[in-house]
Each structure stands twice: as structure tokens, then as C-alpha cells.
Amino acid sequence: KAGRRRIINEEAVMALLAPLGFQSICLEDLGIAETAEMIAKASHIIAPHGAGLANLVFARAGTQVLELFNAHLSREYWVICNHKKLDYHAFEVHGPDQTDVDTTGRKEVALRERNGFDLSVPLEDFKDYVKGVFIKG
């Protein structure tokens, strides 16, 4: 439901993740108490970089967190994860034309604009990362 930084191949991403037990949840549809409960119950959280990840403050120690980033990787969610003893991971995704957003038009397009580009998750690399690194078991 975001106006920017949408995962344009979300349906394909969820087709890959659903058999692993993941479900898609729009936190903007929940109240604060419901959001806190949902995050506290989660063993794994995968989300694109954005303000919604501030809800990691409700996660319990040991929760696996995977932040999908594009134009830059800032520290704020790593800091929350470190403080809460969450297992933080970051995975770089691409712009809608499959290019590395951080180097696409670096001089021509300001960081703020690049950081708002929609995302296209590289499915094979993502699947390998999720199954090989992110899910511990």
C-alpha cells in the first residue's frame, strides 16, 4: 500500500516465501497493539527499508530480520536490532529496470529520489539467500 518503495514483483516473492511459512501483512491495516503483538510473535521478519521497520522495537530477542534495501543502507534498523538482540540481515534489491539503484544515475538523480524507487527483488538470488543464510534451522 506504500506510495513508494513498493516491491513490484511482490506476488512472485510471496510465491517463493509462502511455502516457507511466511505471510504478507500490511501493518498500516493494524492498530498499535495489534502491530506490537504481531511483531512480538514473529520469528522472522522480511520488509523493505522504511518507517515500518521502526516496529522492530516490539520484536523479541532472537527474531531474524531481513531488510530489503536499495539506494542506501542506513544504520537505524541495525541499531534497533543490535539493541534488541535481533539477528539482522540486509539484502540489496534492484530498481524496476533490474539495475543497482545505488549506482543508477548517482549524479543525475538525488539520493532522496533514488531511495523512493520501487523495488524488484532478484528472485533466484533472494531464494538462495533466504534458504541458505536467513532461515536458520
Side-chain angles (χ1 to χ4, degrees):
K1 295 183 180 180
R4 61 188 192 133
R5 245 186 268 130
R6 295 171 296 228
I7 298 174
I8 59 176
N9 59 342
E10 183 175 358
E11 190 173 303
V13 170
M14 285 312 302
L16 183 148
L17 292 174
L20 302 174
F22 287 89
Q23 56 184 310
S24 179
I25 298 168
C26 294
L27 294 179
E28 61 261 51
D29 293 338
L30 306 176
I32 293 172
E34 293 170 301
T35 296
E37 182 179 359
M38 183 72 64
I39 298 294
K41 287 181 178 179
S43 63
H44 293 75
I45 297 168
I46 299 174
H49 173 82
L53 282 171
N55 290 297
L56 291 171
V57 299
F58 301 122
R60 58 188 157 79
T63 301
Q64 303 285 310
V65 176
L66 179 55
E67 177 180 2
L68 306 176
F69 74 97
N70 60 350
H72 76 290
L73 183 60
S74 51
R75 297 175 33 115
E76 61 266 16
Y77 303 120
W78 174 85
V79 169
I80 292 172
C81 289
N82 189 49
H83 179 73
K84 297 282 295 178
K85 298 186 180 4
L86 311 178
D87 189 2
Y88 175 84
H89 300 260
F91 185 85
E92 186 174 15
V93 297
H94 304 288
D97 61 357
Q98 295 296 314
T99 59
D100 175 359
V101 177
D102 199 31
T103 59
T104 300
R106 183 180 295 264
K107 293 184 173 117
E108 297 83 22
V109 181
L111 174 62
R112 181 178 175 104
E113 183 180 341
R114 283 185 286 131
N115 194 36
F117 286 174
D118 288 339
L119 312 173
S120 180
V121 176
L123 294 175
E124 285 304 311
D125 290 344
F126 183 66
K127 179 175 80 172
D128 292 345
Y129 187 86
V130 168
K131 289 183 175 182
V133 178
F134 183 61
I135 296 179
K136 296 181 179 175

